[in-house]
């Protein structure tokens, strides 16, 4: 998609009047649609509103949008009815099959968005599906980016997400301000699917690291040390990582609330393993981590945060 005034998001937005009709007003920022109001999605959507974007929202569970609607967002009954009012539409849903339905289903965005709309999938999903959405969108005069994120609930709330983007560079450049409302580390990775492949690298690195964090705490405790004090030493050294700094303290406090769900991490690892198999590479650390998280889910922890892996280690200690 060539970078030109014709292809950039419109600077005009459609807004609801009190009588239910639509009026068009000038605005210096594109109207944004946000589909998927979960743990991270709600904070991301709120950041967009705070940055001055008019916001249109949809969630399968309408109650999840109540806070945003009270703050001025406009709720729509489905993606098809949301699409015509937006210049940029962001999705942050659960699984690849959800992504496929939202984009390519009968009521999907590809079939109902107006020409020139930029579609941005921020779900962690399949690189192959990202490429398919890109091609389908382009064939209908739309643009598509795959832009998964890392940073969890805290990063989403504070607008400090790492955003990894695949698709046409010109489209990426045109929606920089939208990304900047949600993230602090925004990197163009390459063609369609590159954002998702980068997120797989992120999840692969986290998977083995989470095992190491849990094992370090268990070891410290068994050695008669105070894990909280041990963290003061090792978190600022070579062992330092986001998981060690942010999630290890939660483990020690018994705080297993989801910043990122176990069930979604298992989904991500499965995608990474499938992609690795297609590329004919072995990832033994990832295989081991997924097996442990599968066992954790069997313990009834699939809706806990990923730091709940510590519970599996505790269970092994008797």
């Amino acid at each position: 998609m060539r970078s030109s005034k014709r292809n950039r998001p419109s600077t005009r937005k459609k807004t609801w009047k009190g009588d239910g009709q639509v009026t068009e007003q000038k605005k210096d920022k594109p109207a944004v649609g946000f589909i998927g109001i979960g743990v991270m999605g709600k904070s991301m959507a709120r950041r967009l509103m705070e940055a001055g974007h008019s916001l249109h929202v949809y969630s399968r569970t309408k109650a999840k949008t109540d806070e945003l609607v009270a703050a001025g967002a406009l709720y729509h009954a489905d993606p098809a009815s949301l699409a015509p009012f937006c210049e940029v539409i962001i999705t942050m849903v659960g699984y690849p099959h959800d992504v496929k339905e939202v984009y390519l289903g009968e009521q999907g965005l590809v079939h109902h968005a107006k020409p020139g709309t930029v579609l941005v999938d921020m779900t962690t999903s399949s690189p192959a599906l990202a490429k398919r959405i890109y091609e389908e969108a382009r064939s209908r005069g739309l643009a598509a980016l795959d832009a998964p994120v890392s940073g969890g609930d805290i990063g989403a709330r504070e607008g400090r997400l790492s955003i990894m983007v695949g698709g046409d560079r010109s489209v990426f450049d045109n929606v920089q301000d939208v990304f900047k409302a949600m993230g602090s580390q925004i990197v163009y990775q390459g063609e369609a699917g590159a954002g998702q492949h980068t997120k797989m690298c992120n999840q692969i690195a986290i998977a083995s690291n989470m095992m190491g964090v849990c094992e370090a705490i268990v070891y410290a405790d068994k050695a008669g040390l105070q894990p909280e004090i041990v963290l003061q030493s090792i978190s600022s050294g070579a062992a330092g990582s986001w998981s060690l700094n942010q999630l290890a303290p939660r483990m020690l406090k018994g705080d297993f609330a989801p910043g990122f769900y176990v069930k979604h991490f298992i989904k991500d690892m499965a995608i990474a393993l499938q992609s690795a198999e297609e590329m004919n590479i072995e990832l033994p650390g990832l295989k081991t981590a997924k097996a442990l998280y599968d066992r954790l889910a069997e313990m009834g922890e699939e809706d806990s945060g990923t730091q709940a892996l510590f519970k599996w280690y505790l269970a092994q200690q008797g």
Side-chain angles (χ1 to χ4, degrees):
M1 188 172 186
R2 292 180 299 176
S3 178
S4 68
K5 292 183 179 180
R6 182 177 56 192
N7 290 330
R8 291 174 186 170
S10 170
T11 58
R12 303 176 72 85
K13 73 161 187 170
K14 294 180 178 180
T15 55
W16 292 102
K17 294 174 66 178
D19 59 4
Q21 296 186 7
V22 176
T23 184
E24 196 170 73
Q25 298 177 341
K26 288 184 178 180
K27 198 171 188 297
D28 61 350
K29 295 189 177 182
V32 177
F34 206 105
I35 296 173
I37 310 298
V39 172
M40 294 176 65
K42 181 180 291 186
S43 293
M44 294 162 70
R46 184 175 289 279
R47 296 289 304 188
L48 288 163
M49 292 182 70
E50 291 172 352
H53 295 277
S54 59
L55 190 72
H56 299 255
V57 295
Y58 165 72
S59 176
R60 286 181 298 188
T61 305
K62 185 177 183 295
K64 291 183 178 181
T65 69
D66 287 348
E67 289 182 25
L68 295 171
V69 170
L74 299 172
Y75 177 79
H76 296 267
D78 51 46
S81 60
L82 173 148
F85 298 99
C86 307
E87 283 76 57
V88 178
I89 304 175
I90 295 170
T91 53
M92 186 71 169
V93 295
Y95 297 88
H97 63 80
D98 298 316
V99 173
K100 183 178 179 181
E101 180 63 24
V102 167
Y103 281 94
L104 305 177
E106 186 176 332
Q107 296 299 308
L109 298 174
V110 166
H111 301 293
H112 294 276
K114 59 189 177 185
T117 301
V118 179
L119 308 176
V120 184
D121 183 30
M122 304 188 85
T123 315
T124 299
S125 184
S126 160
L129 179 57
K131 292 179 182 179
R132 180 180 172 188
I133 291 170
Y134 170 86
E135 294 295 345
E136 291 281 351
R138 190 167 68 167
S139 72
R140 294 175 178 269
L142 310 169
L145 299 172
D146 50 290
V149 302
S150 179
D153 57 333
I154 296 174
R157 190 164 57 248
E158 297 179 354
R160 295 188 293 102
L161 292 172
S162 174
I163 305 176
M164 316 151 208
V165 188
D168 291 342
R169 181 64 192 243
S170 61
V171 177
F172 168 78
D173 290 339
N174 284 344
V175 294
Q176 276 285 316
D177 286 346
V178 174
F179 287 135
K180 287 177 181 177
M182 299 176 287
S184 58
Q185 178 78 351
I186 304 158
V187 181
Y188 176 72
Q189 295 292 338
E191 64 183 16
Q196 296 296 353
H197 276 305
T198 304
K199 183 59 185 290
M200 292 302 104
C201 294
N202 185 84
Q203 303 305 73
I204 290 166
I206 289 174
S208 295
N209 184 235
M210 285 294 289
M211 293 190 294
V213 170
C214 292
E215 291 173 11
I217 294 174
V218 169
Y219 182 96
D221 182 64
K222 287 295 182 180
L225 305 173
Q226 296 183 47
E228 295 86 352
I229 296 177
V230 171
L231 287 180
Q232 291 178 23
S233 293
I234 68 174
S235 62
S236 59
S241 68
W242 191 93
S243 295
L244 191 69
N245 294 335
Q246 299 292 332
L247 297 183
R250 294 194 196 185
M251 294 175 187
L252 294 175
K253 292 177 183 177
D255 177 4
F256 302 109
F260 188 66
Y261 288 109
V262 164
K263 61 187 178 184
H264 290 162
F265 195 35
I266 290 173
K267 173 263 295 183
D268 294 354
M269 289 187 284
I271 293 171
L273 285 169
Q274 181 180 347
S275 297
E277 183 177 348
E278 292 169 356
M279 293 184 286
N280 197 30
I281 56 176
E282 285 290 329
L283 302 174
L286 182 61
K287 285 183 179 179
T288 301
K290 184 177 181 299
L292 295 184
Y293 271 99
D294 284 339
R295 294 175 194 171
L296 183 66
E298 291 169 1
M299 293 168 55
E301 299 289 341
E302 65 175 10
D303 287 324
S304 297
T306 52
Q307 70 273 21
L309 183 63
F310 188 53
K311 286 189 175 184
W312 183 87
Y313 280 92
L314 291 178
Q316 307 318 301
Q317 307 310 310

